[in-house]
Structures are given as structure tokens and as C-alpha cells.
Amino acid sequence: MRDDATESSAAAPERAPVEGPWVLPDVSGLVVGVLGGTGPQGKGLAYRLARAGQKVIIGSRAAERAQAAADELGHGVEGADNAECARRSDLVIVAVPWDGHGRTLESLREELAGKLVVDCVNPLGFDKQGAYALKPEEGSAAQQAAALLPHSRVTAAFHHLSAVLLQDPETEEIDTDVMVLGEVRADVEIVQALAGRIPGMRGVFAGRLRNAHQVESLVANLISVNRRYKAHAGLRVTDV
């Protein structure tokens, strides 16, 4: 007697197993550019990634200044002006000061076309009461980047990292999570994997770019924490 159920089951194609959220791509071969790589945050990120074995180019408005910073960092870091840095890189981290954010990206629209762009800029103001969050017209620095770079793949990450710890050669691991936001899962996973190259760090998906404002704004709270407790505070996401 024919067993139709068994035969039908046997004929059905096997489904590929669903990969978990922590199965991330190999990004070790990507060239990473850091715009604003001579500033504290950009320089620290460049140092950590290069120390982890990533090929890094730091950019500045002046190529000579970028090369001087690269020579100081070592680990094979190269320096270039911002345009060359953007052209030669597969992935570009934007770590420029907020007041020059829009102008810098607008001037590099052509060089950044087709690139994966990681915005880590925090729009902040400062007064006698300390740091406070600013809200750009577009909603966040990352959304401003996406509006200015329509032909780039914009994500947001690396907002809550201490520049002091990033640049400290005696600090072997940086115990923190990196909130990563973006519209395309594959792009977010690349940035998560890049964060994971730095010992102690983990990249965690934190939503789409429309949620970037509160992530950028949280830096104002961390500045208050650091001042009160003489610390270099970061973030950990529990239960994931």
C-alpha cells in the first residue's frame, strides 16, 4: 500500500537552517576609512581597529595632518585627505565634529557613493549645566547623513565609546556593547562584526535609523556619569 504522506514528506526539499543573530560575516579584509581620524574619537577607533588587524586609513582636511596622526598610531595605519580616504575605503566611519558634519558629508557625496558609511557623530551642546542633546532637522546625525548621501548605505554605531580608553595602549579590552542601527540587515551585520573585532566589544542591533536620535543623545547622560564618578562609562545590553 502506498503511503502518500511519507512519499510527500520525502519528496519535500529540505529547508536551510535559519542562522542566528550572532552569525556575522568575516570583515577582516575590509579597508576601513575614518573621517575625522585626527580627532580623539576617530583616532581611538582607528587605533583599536588597526591593532585588531584591520587595514585602516584616517582622513583629515589636510593630508599631512592625517599622515602625522597615522605615523603616531602605527599598526600600518595610513593617512590621506578626506576625499582620498573615502575613495580607497570599503567602509567609512564618520567621526567628525558635529558642527562640520553636514558640510563634510556633502562635499564627499561622490567619493562616498556605493560605500557603507557608519556615522558615530553625537549632536551635543554644552552650557554651564553640562552636555545636552541637540536634535537635527532630519531627526539625528545619522538621518542627516542618509539625506546627504542618497547613494551610500548609511548605518549608525560607535557612539558610546570613551576616547580615553580607545587610545590607551595599556587597555587590552574595552568592556562595552556597540548599538548598531541601519535599514539593511546585511549592512548592520557588517558593522556588528567590525565592532566585534575589538576585544571586549560586541555589536548589537538597535533598530532602524529613525531610532538613532536617542542613541546619539544618550552620550550626554554618559558624560554626566563620567564626570560624577570619574569614570569612562560604556553600555552593556543584558539578556541577549
Side-chain angles (χ1 to χ4, degrees):
M1 178 178 176
R2 178 171 142 181
D3 187 339
D4 290 334
T6 301
E7 186 172 301
S8 175
S9 175
E14 292 185 7
R15 291 184 179 180
V18 178
E19 293 185 339
W22 299 114
V23 178
L24 300 172
D26 178 9
V27 297
S28 59
L30 294 182
V31 177
V32 177
V34 183
L35 301 179
T38 59
Q41 194 79 355
K43 195 172 181 181
L45 279 168
Y47 171 68
R48 286 290 157 179
L49 290 169
R51 181 169 159 171
Q54 208 76 36
K55 176 59 184 174
V56 177
I57 304 170
I58 59 176
S60 177
R61 285 176 295 179
E64 297 81 6
R65 186 179 177 199
Q67 189 57 54
D71 292 341
E72 181 184 340
L73 292 177
H75 297 282
V77 176
E78 295 183 33
D81 63 43
N82 283 331
E84 183 182 352
C85 173
R87 281 193 297 268
R88 293 178 55 196
S89 301
D90 302 307
L91 178 153
V92 178
I93 296 173
V94 181
V96 299
W98 166 240
D99 59 5
H101 181 262
R103 293 191 304 274
T104 299
L105 295 184
E106 193 170 21
S107 71
L108 296 172
R109 182 176 293 152
E110 182 178 343
E111 289 83 0
L112 291 171
K115 308 284 184 176
L116 177 53
V117 174
V118 186
D119 201 294
C120 69
V121 174
N122 303 301
L124 297 176
F126 296 86
D127 59 19
K128 292 181 179 179
Q129 298 182 54
Y132 59 94
L134 303 175
K135 189 161 187 178
E137 182 179 347
E138 298 85 353
S140 65
Q143 287 170 296
Q144 183 183 88
L148 291 172
L149 303 173
H151 302 298
S152 302
R153 296 139 50 208
V154 176
T155 60
F158 301 116
H159 300 92
H160 307 135
L161 306 180
S162 163
V164 173
L165 293 182
L166 287 172
Q167 295 184 78
D168 181 10
E170 301 302 316
T171 300
E172 296 294 331
E173 296 188 1
I174 298 180
D175 183 26
T176 193
D177 284 334
V178 172
M179 310 286 271
V180 185
L181 303 97
E183 302 300 318
V184 179
R185 178 181 294 182
D187 292 339
V188 169
E189 290 179 346
I190 289 171
V191 181
Q192 286 182 264
L194 187 67
R197 296 272 288 162
I198 300 173
M201 281 192 199
R202 182 179 65 158
V204 178
F205 171 67
R208 294 179 178 269
L209 290 185
R210 68 180 183 181
N211 294 320
H213 171 65
Q214 56 264 39
V215 173
E216 296 169 1
S217 300
L218 189 57
V219 173
N221 302 90
L222 289 176
I223 289 172
S224 297
V225 170
N226 290 336
R227 286 180 175 173
R228 176 67 179 86
Y229 297 101
K230 306 287 191 282
H232 304 293
L235 296 178
R236 276 294 186 200
V237 181
T238 63
D239 202 32
V240 294

